[in-house]
Amino acid sequence: MNKYFSNINHIPFEGSDSTNPLAFKYYDENKIIAGKKMKDHLRFAMSYWHTMTGQGQDPFGSPTMERPYNDLDGMDLSKARVEAAFELMSKLSIGYFCFHDLDISPEGKSLQEKYDNLDIIVDLILEKMNETGIKCLWGTTNAFSHPRFVHGASTSPNANVFAFAAAQVKKAMEITKKLGGENYVFWGGREGYETLLNTDMGLELDNLARFLTMARDYAKKIGFTGQLLIEPKPMEPTKHQYDFDASTVLSFLRKYNLQDDFKLNIEANHATLAGHTFHHEIYTSRINNALGSIDANQGDLLLGWDTDQFPTNIYDSTLCMYEVLKKGGIAPGGLNFDSKVRRGSFQSDDLFISYIVGMDTFAKGLLVANNLLVDRVLEDFISNRYSSYNNGIGKEIIDGVTDFEKLADYALEHDQIKNVSGRQELLEDIVNRYIYKS
Ligand code: XLS
Ligand code: NI
Ligand code: NI
């Protein structure tokens, strides 16, 4: 497999002193950290859409990406992309990929033609998977690009659109199962609204729940045992996306009694668009037993949209991996690079360099997070900070054996309160120290 990116060799691990842009500095896939190989902690995945299909167009300009298969079209283009995808993943030692139905084959003139196109490409992908050992992390459906989805998919006012979206998810689940996908993702697409002046929000949310309930039932029916994931995002493409953030999705799932069937796929750039840190969204998911998988990217804090940049921020990757380690691992989820090269980075080797920096950023984050955890730096500080709940009145609160009257009696006798410093800057200094030395 050396056809499309023949000027690029297999990417070696060269260590932190390397100055070779086409080598890993921190990602040493078989290195054992906390009893597990780095690659099994990180479970990196390639996003088919940004990597193979994305062409660099933006609202102001046409495609810019120089790709060796640019002169092809239709099914020939789709087939070439499969080969190129597996060549790229093999050279970068990426173990998984994620895809939308529309990423891998053309839409076709009818739904049946769409199905037929998918079947041909899925067989080709299966062949390549067997050849390389690369696996499918998750599949999903694109129910937002085609004009039929102008007003949403399952939240469209048009019931025929609801039915079409169901047909698409049904097929996408079947092919994800055929490819051994370990998860199936629902990102909201255009499930949201532009104005409430023309919207029945109650009906739209009920319909979204009806749709997800049917999807869950169909997954069970065909024996798809992967995790079902919802990917929160607050805005874009609609002004208000229903799956706003982790907390909104959790309360939606609980309202419709779907909380045992769906977990969350947390994306860094969506967290910041929602006014949260990436850490906050992962943490919120973890403590609600809902952390399913991660879309690893980053936004630009000066821009208010989903720039989907390759992650380079070691502070963020550290805190992300900290939560992943606390959870006991991200499997069956993984770290999917829902990231794209900038429009100006149009050469094919930019793709490789971008994945390398993203993978190194998370490998380094894993090392730092593990050291922080092993030394119990934050753990001991936090448990000490809350130690007033270990005995006395605090323990009574935790054990549920007190009430407002008893608490008031207690407070009357203990009204000279003394607090302890939160030591934020001290902790920030310590985290920095672990970043320097790990
Ligand atoms: C868009 C989403 C999308 C999902 C998959 O903002 O991140 O790429 O991950 O549909
Ligand atoms: Ni996104
Ligand atoms: Ni995403």
Side-chain angles (χ1 to χ4, degrees), residues 49 138 187 231 265 267 270 295 297 306 308 336 338:
W49 53 106
W138 51 260
W187 165 59
E231 182 178 323
N265 182 40
E267 176 165 323
H270 297 180
D295 270 7
N297 63 11
D306 200 14
D308 287 338
N336 163 46
D338 192 354

Short mmCIF file of all heavy atoms in Angstrom, two decimals, residues 49 138 187 231 265 267 270 295 297 306 308 336 338, ligand 3:
data_model
loop_
_atom_site.label_atom_id
_atom_site.label_comp_id
_atom_site.label_asym_id
_atom_site.label_seq_id
_atom_site.Cartn_x
_atom_site.Cartn_y
_atom_site.Cartn_z
N TRP A 49 -14.53 11.89 6.93
CA TRP A 49 -15.05 13.09 6.26
C TRP A 49 -13.99 14.18 6.12
O TRP A 49 -13.77 14.69 5.03
CB TRP A 49 -16.32 13.61 6.95
CG TRP A 49 -16.27 13.85 8.43
CD1 TRP A 49 -16.21 15.05 9.05
CD2 TRP A 49 -16.29 12.87 9.46
NE1 TRP A 49 -16.19 14.89 10.42
CE2 TRP A 49 -16.24 13.56 10.70
CE3 TRP A 49 -16.35 11.47 9.50
CZ2 TRP A 49 -16.24 12.91 11.94
CZ3 TRP A 49 -16.35 10.83 10.72
CH2 TRP A 49 -16.30 11.54 11.92
N TRP A 138 -16.55 3.95 14.84
CA TRP A 138 -17.99 4.21 14.74
C TRP A 138 -18.43 4.62 13.35
O TRP A 138 -17.66 5.13 12.56
CB TRP A 138 -18.48 5.19 15.78
CG TRP A 138 -17.84 6.52 16.02
CD1 TRP A 138 -16.96 6.82 17.01
CD2 TRP A 138 -18.08 7.78 15.34
NE1 TRP A 138 -16.65 8.15 16.99
CE2 TRP A 138 -17.33 8.77 15.99
CE3 TRP A 138 -18.89 8.16 14.27
CZ2 TRP A 138 -17.32 10.12 15.59
CZ3 TRP A 138 -18.90 9.49 13.86
CH2 TRP A 138 -18.11 10.45 14.53
N TRP A 187 -24.91 12.56 15.80
CA TRP A 187 -24.69 13.99 16.01
C TRP A 187 -25.92 14.69 15.44
O TRP A 187 -26.47 14.25 14.42
CB TRP A 187 -23.42 14.48 15.29
CG TRP A 187 -23.40 15.97 15.20
CD1 TRP A 187 -23.43 16.84 16.26
CD2 TRP A 187 -23.43 16.76 14.02
NE1 TRP A 187 -23.46 18.13 15.79
CE2 TRP A 187 -23.46 18.12 14.42
CE3 TRP A 187 -23.42 16.46 12.66
CZ2 TRP A 187 -23.50 19.17 13.51
CZ3 TRP A 187 -23.45 17.51 11.74
CH2 TRP A 187 -23.48 18.85 12.17
N GLU A 231 -23.79 13.05 20.24
CA GLU A 231 -22.69 14.02 20.27
C GLU A 231 -23.25 15.43 20.46
O GLU A 231 -23.81 16.01 19.53
CB GLU A 231 -21.90 13.92 18.96
CG GLU A 231 -20.72 14.86 18.90
CD GLU A 231 -19.93 14.69 17.60
OE1 GLU A 231 -19.80 13.54 17.11
OE2 GLU A 231 -19.44 15.70 17.08
N ASN A 265 -20.71 11.25 23.03
CA ASN A 265 -19.45 11.44 22.31
C ASN A 265 -19.11 12.92 22.46
O ASN A 265 -19.78 13.78 21.91
CB ASN A 265 -19.63 11.06 20.83
CG ASN A 265 -18.34 11.21 20.06
OD1 ASN A 265 -17.27 10.87 20.55
ND2 ASN A 265 -18.43 11.72 18.84
N GLU A 267 -17.03 16.28 22.01
CA GLU A 267 -16.08 16.93 21.10
C GLU A 267 -15.55 18.22 21.74
O GLU A 267 -16.33 19.06 22.21
CB GLU A 267 -16.76 17.23 19.76
CG GLU A 267 -15.83 18.00 18.82
CD GLU A 267 -16.33 17.98 17.38
OE1 GLU A 267 -16.87 16.96 16.93
OE2 GLU A 267 -16.18 19.00 16.71
N HIS A 270 -16.96 21.53 20.38
CA HIS A 270 -18.37 21.74 20.73
C HIS A 270 -18.49 22.21 22.17
O HIS A 270 -19.37 23.02 22.51
CB HIS A 270 -19.17 20.45 20.54
CG HIS A 270 -19.19 19.97 19.13
ND1 HIS A 270 -19.86 18.83 18.73
CD2 HIS A 270 -18.61 20.45 18.01
CE1 HIS A 270 -19.72 18.65 17.43
NE2 HIS A 270 -18.95 19.62 16.97
N ASP A 295 -14.38 13.13 20.45
CA ASP A 295 -13.94 13.71 19.18
C ASP A 295 -12.83 14.69 19.52
O ASP A 295 -13.06 15.78 20.07
CB ASP A 295 -15.10 14.42 18.46
CG ASP A 295 -15.83 13.47 17.53
OD1 ASP A 295 -15.52 12.25 17.56
OD2 ASP A 295 -16.70 13.92 16.76
N ASN A 297 -10.34 17.35 18.93
CA ASN A 297 -9.96 18.46 18.05
C ASN A 297 -9.81 19.68 18.93
O ASN A 297 -9.78 19.56 20.16
CB ASN A 297 -11.00 18.67 16.93
CG ASN A 297 -12.36 19.06 17.44
OD1 ASN A 297 -12.56 19.39 18.60
ND2 ASN A 297 -13.35 19.02 16.56
N ASP A 306 -17.18 26.12 14.62
CA ASP A 306 -16.54 24.83 14.81
C ASP A 306 -15.37 24.71 13.82
O ASP A 306 -15.55 24.21 12.72
CB ASP A 306 -17.62 23.77 14.50
CG ASP A 306 -17.33 22.41 15.08
OD1 ASP A 306 -16.45 22.31 15.94
OD2 ASP A 306 -18.02 21.45 14.67
N ASP A 308 -12.75 22.89 14.07
CA ASP A 308 -12.28 21.50 13.96
C ASP A 308 -10.78 21.41 13.66
O ASP A 308 -10.36 20.73 12.72
CB ASP A 308 -13.04 20.74 12.86
CG ASP A 308 -14.47 20.42 13.26
OD1 ASP A 308 -14.77 20.39 14.46
OD2 ASP A 308 -15.30 20.17 12.35
N ASN A 336 -11.36 10.05 18.31
CA ASN A 336 -11.51 10.26 16.88
C ASN A 336 -11.07 11.68 16.53
O ASN A 336 -11.57 12.65 17.11
CB ASN A 336 -13.00 10.07 16.51
CG ASN A 336 -13.32 10.66 15.16
OD1 ASN A 336 -12.60 10.45 14.19
ND2 ASN A 336 -14.42 11.41 15.08
N ASP A 338 -11.76 14.35 14.87
CA ASP A 338 -12.76 15.08 14.08
C ASP A 338 -12.12 16.44 13.78
O ASP A 338 -12.57 17.49 14.24
CB ASP A 338 -14.06 15.21 14.88
CG ASP A 338 -15.20 15.69 14.01
OD1 ASP A 338 -14.95 16.03 12.84
OD2 ASP A 338 -16.35 15.74 14.49
NI NI B 3 -17.72 15.52 15.91
#
